[in-house]
Amino acid sequence: MIRFRFPRPWVGLALSLYVLLGFTLALGGSQGWDSATASPPPTLAQSAPLAQEQQGRSLLNDGQFQAAAEQFATAAAGFARQGDRLGQAGSLTYQALALYELGQVLPAQTVLDQALDYLDGQPQGQAIQAQARITQGRIQLARGDAQGALETWERAAELYRHQGDRLGELGALNNQAIALQSLGLYRRSQQHLQRVADQLDDLNHPPLQVSALTDLAIAQQVVGNLQESQQVLRRAIDIAQRDGLPQQSLIFRALADSYRALGDTDAALEAYEQAITRATTPLDTITASLEQASLQRQAGFPEAARERLETIQVQLNALPASRPGVYARVNFAETASHLWTASERRELTSILAIAIEQARDLEDGRAEALALGQLARLYQQQGQIVEAIALTQQALEIASPLANSTDIMARWQGQLGQLYEQQGQRDLAILAYSNAVTALNELGQDLVAINPEVRLSFQETVEPIYRNLVSLLLQGDPTQAQLKQARETIEALQVAELENFFREACLEARPMQLEAVDAKAAALYPIILRDRLEVIFGLPGEPLRHYSTPLGEEELRETLNRFRQSLSLSFSRSEQLQLYQQLYDWLIRPVAADLQRAQTETLVFVLDGQLRNLPMAVLHDGHHYLIEDYSLAIAPSLQLLEPQPLDNRRLQAVVAGLSESRAGFTALPGVETELNRIRSTINADVRLNESFTIEATRNALRRADSPVLHLATHGQFSSNAEDTFILTWDGQLNVNELGQLLQRRDEQRFGALELLVLSACQTAMGDDRALLGLAGLAVRSGARSTIATLWAVRDEATADLMAEFYQQLAQPGMSKAKALQQAQLYLLHQSEYQRPFFWAPFVLVGNWL
């Protein structure tokens, strides 16, 4: 689904509020009286432009940007007639801001240039010039110049500082966070917001303090710090309730969003209810109600959602013509289209027609494109494909020249691809889907950042675009160009999934040719599609191939679930082998002869969906397990690979673990044996139990020139970064914190971590996308390779395997994948460990060299 909200940057609310509360007098013109100097009030003639500007500010705050722009133009003309150049510059600055909000970036720049010309050489106009720089930065950011916006907002902060205006300076700092986020510097952005929030404590300005805290919390949501975000929001709620501030509805909506991201539906619905109760405007009420209804629908409460929509439908009629009003109607239609019958949906046509008409009256191209695209979606649901195509194309034509419209282009190009596919126009559908994927890839960092404002649901909206394109490219007899595009598309999806997992665009992808990495490796990309299982297969120096198995999603899901269940010791060997041979037939048998011909030694799997939760080592050809013939590796994406072999000559490790029970987790008595056996095999700095703390591990990594970090402790991989963690003596260390810990190594001195070993972790039960957590941890940690377990293994078997693994790895020229293969075969050949349960869960993710 896609949710459109009034587009307020996730930072900058404090600045906006500051402008409305405290800065308006400074922009009211040089003849506006100043309370500090107690000048006489203006005459009636002089006050006319001030009144017009005040009216413009009210319209701007209500989202009526076209009317606001016209009002500011009138005010500027009035100031010009009075010869008040500062007043004229102030109104022109506001006019530029209104035009910017309308998406008219070039006209906004032209108007702002006029304002800056009037301010040139007038030292008494520094307050207006500072605000002009704020608007200038927004325009630069809209035109893709994030670095320029950052520098402009730094200049604005200097101007405010020179005037002794701390509130203005903090507002400029707040806006700098926008540019830092656009540059991918999310942590620095958060630091800026934290500075603003801390300094506002000293200024004792509750409205701005609450706004800054809310901005900070939303920024924390963007980078995945959901628990911290909730703590900040509760602090904002306390202040807002103490002082009776009107921002409470927005804060509760942000709190609901954090609960929603954590999967706590009940808490999210209750927070949305609080937001509705505390709303002070009809728009706030409708916005919170729509969010609640959308969640009710997604959570399986259709009747509750329908009841909420009935209330909203009445309220919509009272909204004035404005961009927020248009968005509210679009959101209403989007949610209702999933719940209403075909006959009821006819009412949505008239609701969207009003939205389109209002957007045109406002000359708001972005709002019009969104409403037209949603109307096209409605026609698609009604089977009116020709009309839907025409409306979608119209929406795209309107959105194309607009600044910052890439998200709209991605959404409606994807919709156009669906429509052409329904018509059987494969080439046109491929073109539209390709355009959509290009737009999604261009969004990159912004795809994550826009989530709080334009909720692009990854699994419902983004992921299907990639998969639909791959499906069409692999139909029939695809060309090499189409096979390469399909492979690149599935690689891009893997990267996008990981960035969605982290809620941060933190990955640097780059094209990678397999033959440049390992001439004795083969790459397999199993891809789960609606009606079949596809595999793209590549050998170094040879053309790509693909083969497919017709399979419905439900049949494949049941088979893979049964496969996972069969790995327990309770299953009979005959039933296990039947399942393992079935998957071998799907994935390996069509190219088995090619692998032998090419003398392949390593199979590299770029796994998809539920396949990530299954060990490829157990695939069986009727005579051997796959691990008996090949060393194996999993690559989250070859584009994320660090293709550098381990220098076995200096093999040493920092080794840490927990053998005692901690924080409700059971004891792991075999861990002490495991660590001692590793220490007897290689040079190791060992940390056990109370010496295995976060700080002690950090210090050990700083002091030791160790390419390996081995952690023998409880842990869990989940599709939610908040629930992906390892256990230390002093608490849980989640994937983001572990990544920060490892990336703080002094890389100039020690280099990147070569290998991270997690020997007692497991995947979250019932989580089909849990291995995103493992892949995410492998990538985020900065380690070139990660070895982990898909399920908890008996201590004795783990100790035996790890001792053998390090003994093999210490041999000159031995690759990590080969060392793990030999260790798994060591267990397989022992009578007590022959079942896959003991040796199969160990997987190598990342660089296998």
Side-chain angles (χ1 to χ4, degrees):
M1 64 176 274
I2 187 167
R3 306 293 298 164
F4 302 110
R5 300 191 199 169
F6 175 51
R8 180 186 63 80
W10 56 263
V11 288
L13 177 61
L15 174 65
S16 302
L17 187 63
Y18 170 68
V19 169
L20 291 171
L21 293 180
F23 193 56
T24 51
L25 287 177
L27 288 184
S30 60
Q31 296 181 21
W33 70 279
D34 187 328
S35 58
T37 59
S39 302
T43 65
L44 183 61
Q46 290 172 323
S47 65
L50 289 175
Q52 291 161 348
E53 188 179 271
Q54 179 62 52
Q55 178 64 28
R57 288 197 297 268
S58 298
L59 292 167
L60 185 67
N61 196 37
D62 289 339
Q64 300 184 54
F65 302 122
Q66 183 61 39
E70 293 169 359
Q71 195 72 20
F72 290 132
T74 302
F79 284 125
R81 286 192 295 271
Q82 295 176 2
D84 185 349
R85 295 174 68 85
L86 289 182
Q88 187 178 5
S91 290
L92 288 172
T93 297
Y94 270 128
Q95 184 187 358
L97 181 59
L99 291 170
Y100 157 83
E101 293 288 359
L102 284 168
Q104 299 177 22
V105 177
L106 291 179
Q109 183 65 67
T110 300
V111 171
L112 190 64
D113 287 342
Q114 294 177 34
L116 292 171
D117 285 343
Y118 292 141
L119 292 169
D120 188 33
Q122 299 202 42
Q124 68 270 37
Q126 283 193 343
I128 304 174
Q129 188 175 140
Q131 173 59 12
R133 298 296 178 190
I134 295 296
T135 303
Q136 176 72 44
R138 292 187 177 185
I139 293 172
Q140 288 172 305
L141 195 65
R143 300 179 72 174
D145 184 8
Q147 184 62 43
L150 178 62
E151 294 169 0
T152 297
W153 284 328
E154 288 172 345
R155 174 61 179 150
E158 291 177 7
L159 288 167
Y160 284 124
R161 193 178 305 118
H162 182 72
Q163 299 170 68
D165 186 344
R166 287 192 66 195
L167 288 180
E169 182 184 352
L170 292 178
L173 280 174
N174 226 33
N175 265 35
Q176 287 173 38
I178 306 172
L180 288 170
Q181 185 212 17
S182 294
L183 290 167
L185 304 174
Y186 295 93
R187 303 297 168 185
R188 277 186 60 190
S189 172
Q190 235 182 302
Q191 292 168 2
H192 266 67
L193 291 166
Q194 188 67 63
R195 284 172 57 196
V196 172
D198 292 344
Q199 292 182 54
L200 281 168
D201 285 344
D202 300 333
L203 291 178
N204 191 27
H205 196 300
L208 290 179
Q209 188 178 3
V210 167
S211 296
L213 288 171
T214 305
D215 280 343
L216 173 60
I218 294 173
Q220 289 170 328
Q221 289 178 18
V222 168
V223 299
N225 296 337
L226 300 174
Q227 303 288 358
E228 294 177 26
S229 171
Q230 290 181 0
Q231 294 174 7
V232 173
L233 287 169
R234 290 190 183 98
R235 182 181 167 201
I237 288 170
D238 289 342
I239 298 171
Q241 290 181 340
R242 182 196 68 198
D243 289 77
L245 300 177
Q247 297 127 287
Q248 295 179 41
S249 181
L250 172 63
I251 305 170
F252 274 102
R253 271 168 42 209
L255 185 62
D257 288 343
S258 69
Y259 283 127
R260 191 171 185 170
L262 285 168
D264 192 342
T265 300
D266 291 341
L269 290 173
E270 173 58 28
Y272 283 133
E273 191 64 40
Q274 295 286 347
I276 295 167
T277 302
R278 287 165 169 76
T280 57
T281 68
L283 180 62
D284 285 345
T285 302
I286 290 172
T287 302
S289 298
L290 283 169
E291 289 297 309
Q292 187 185 54
S294 74
L295 179 56
Q296 287 169 332
R297 178 191 71 81
Q298 287 182 322
F301 305 118
E303 291 306 317
R306 284 179 63 93
E307 289 178 12
R308 177 59 71 188
L309 289 175
E310 288 175 7
T311 303
I312 298 170
Q313 189 174 7
V314 176
Q315 297 169 332
L316 281 176
N317 297 327
L319 285 180
S322 64
R323 175 180 280 185
V326 174
Y327 282 16
R329 287 177 169 83
V330 172
N331 283 341
F332 179 87
E334 196 280 331
T335 299
S337 67
H338 292 279
L339 296 166
W340 287 7
T341 64
S343 59
E344 290 174 321
R345 287 190 198 127
R346 294 192 185 96
E347 293 183 52
L348 298 180
T349 304
S350 60
I351 290 173
L352 288 171
I354 293 172
I356 294 167
E357 182 181 0
Q358 289 184 350
R360 287 172 178 167
D361 290 342
L362 295 167
E363 298 182 23
D364 190 333
R366 180 179 174 86
E368 184 182 357
L370 294 175
L372 280 167
Q374 189 60 47
L375 182 59
R377 175 64 177 156
L378 190 60
Y379 278 120
Q380 181 183 20
Q381 291 174 326
Q382 294 170 345
Q384 298 172 261
I385 305 302
V386 174
E387 294 84 351
I389 288 175
L391 285 169
T392 305
Q393 289 173 331
Q394 188 178 349
L396 287 167
E397 288 172 5
I398 292 171
S400 180
L402 299 178
N404 284 358
S405 65
T406 314
D407 57 312
I408 304 176
M409 300 297 292
R411 170 67 172 180
W412 300 146
Q413 286 284 7
Q415 181 167 285
L416 189 60
Q418 285 182 344
L419 292 164
Y420 282 134
E421 189 175 357
Q422 285 180 264
Q423 279 195 329
Q425 299 192 61
R426 178 173 177 257
D427 291 344
L428 288 175
I430 287 176
L431 177 60
Y433 282 134
S434 298
N435 290 336
V437 166
T438 298
L440 289 170
N441 293 341
E442 285 178 6
L443 277 171
Q445 299 160 352
D446 295 335
L447 179 59
V448 180
I450 64 174
N451 257 342
E453 298 302 328
V454 182
R455 191 184 298 282
L456 280 164
S457 168
F458 190 87
Q459 287 182 275
E460 289 188 16
T461 303
V462 175
E463 184 176 350
I465 292 174
Y466 288 91
R467 293 195 184 280
N468 291 346
L469 175 57
V470 171
S471 179
L472 288 177
L473 287 168
L474 296 180
Q475 281 182 3
D477 186 18
T479 64
Q480 277 297 301
Q482 288 174 327
L483 286 172
K484 289 178 181 177
Q485 185 182 357
R487 182 181 63 178
E488 290 167 1
T489 302
I490 208 67
E491 289 260 10
L493 173 59
Q494 298 275 359
V495 173
E497 278 189 300
L498 286 171
E499 292 183 332
N500 180 258
F501 168 79
F502 288 120
R503 297 178 65 83
E504 180 174 353
C506 55
L507 307 178
E508 183 181 349
R510 53 197 170 277
M512 185 69 64
Q513 298 299 320
L514 186 62
E515 54 265 35
V517 180
D518 186 352
K520 291 296 184 180
L524 296 101
Y525 295 76
I527 305 165
I528 299 173
L529 301 174
R530 290 190 302 266
D531 56 351
R532 65 197 192 276
L533 176 64
E534 286 274 5
V535 180
I536 298 176
F537 171 72
L539 282 170
E542 297 189 15
L544 292 175
R545 290 178 50 189
H546 90 106
Y547 42 96
S548 64
T549 304
L551 281 170
E553 283 185 289
E554 189 59 36
E555 180 185 358
L556 179 60
R557 185 180 300 109
E558 289 178 3
T559 301
L560 297 183
N561 284 339
R562 192 68 175 163
F563 187 116
R564 175 74 180 191
Q565 294 164 6
S566 76
L567 294 162
S568 73
L569 293 173
S570 61
F571 260 68
S572 68
R573 176 173 169 77
S574 61
E575 188 173 359
Q576 281 182 327
L577 291 180
Q578 182 180 356
L579 286 163
Y580 304 159
Q581 289 175 29
Q582 176 72 80
L583 203 57
Y584 181 93
D585 290 343
W586 290 346
L587 301 184
I588 305 298
R589 195 173 298 281
V591 292
D594 298 271
L595 294 172
Q596 293 179 9
R597 171 182 56 78
Q599 299 182 328
T600 301
E601 296 178 0
T602 304
L603 300 184
V604 182
F605 290 91
V606 181
L607 295 175
D608 185 29
Q610 280 181 279
L611 289 166
R612 296 189 186 108
N613 290 354
L614 306 178
M616 296 295 103
V618 303
L619 301 189
H620 203 277
D621 65 0
H623 303 284
H624 302 101
Y625 289 110
L626 195 62
I627 194 66
E628 295 182 81
D629 296 324
Y630 303 99
S631 57
L632 307 175
I634 297 170
S637 166
L638 288 184
Q639 294 181 11
L640 301 176
L641 193 66
E642 289 279 356
Q644 181 172 323
L646 176 68
D647 184 355
N648 307 67
R649 296 171 301 176
R650 61 183 195 94
L651 192 61
Q652 53 184 318
V654 172
V655 182
L658 292 180
S659 63
E660 299 180 10
S661 173
R662 295 296 292 175
F665 288 86
T666 59
L668 297 169
V671 163
E672 188 169 357
T673 301
E674 178 182 339
L675 268 56
N676 287 334
R677 292 185 66 180
I678 293 171
R679 178 162 46 189
S680 68
T681 305
I682 63 172
N683 183 17
D685 178 358
V686 176
R687 306 277 166 169
L688 180 65
N689 293 329
E690 61 269 12
S691 65
F692 175 29
T693 63
I694 297 171
E695 188 59 33
T697 305
R698 179 184 293 118
N699 290 335
L701 287 169
R702 284 172 179 163
R703 289 196 305 271
D705 184 8
S706 300
V708 178
L709 173 62
H710 182 110
L711 302 177
T713 179
H714 286 289
Q716 177 176 279
F717 309 118
S718 165
S719 58
N720 188 330
E722 292 279 321
D723 298 326
T724 295
F725 65 88
I726 61 167
L727 188 68
T728 67
W729 184 263
D730 53 352
Q732 292 183 9
L733 189 63
N734 78 18
V735 59
N736 286 311
E737 294 169 319
L738 179 61
Q740 292 173 33
L741 166 63
L742 296 178
Q743 288 171 1
R744 284 174 190 149
R745 284 166 54 99
D746 183 358
E747 294 200 0
Q748 288 186 341
R749 179 181 173 190
F750 297 137
L753 190 69
E754 293 289 345
L755 177 62
L756 171 65
V757 180
L758 305 167
S759 68
C761 296
Q762 61 185 338
T763 57
M765 293 298 292
D767 188 343
D768 289 346
R769 302 172 78 231
L771 260 290
L772 275 179
L774 171 54
L777 190 152
V779 172
R780 186 57 171 270
S781 69
R784 291 195 170 101
S785 312
T786 299
I787 290 178
T789 52
L790 299 180
W791 59 85
V793 187
R794 292 184 183 174
D795 289 359
E796 301 84 359
T798 301
D800 285 349
L801 182 138
M802 286 301 166
E804 180 66 20
F805 169 72
Y806 283 110
Q807 188 171 351
Q808 292 286 339
L809 191 64
Q811 298 180 26
M814 178 67 70
S815 72
K816 295 169 228 176
K818 194 70 174 177
L820 180 59
Q821 178 195 21
Q822 293 304 312
Q824 288 177 291
L825 293 177
Y826 172 77
L827 285 192
L828 173 60
H829 293 150
Q830 298 185 49
S831 58
E832 67 269 35
Y833 296 141
Q834 286 182 350
R835 298 292 295 272
F837 172 82
F838 296 106
W839 52 263
F842 299 91
V843 293
L844 171 65
V845 181
N847 177 18
W848 61 90
L849 299 178

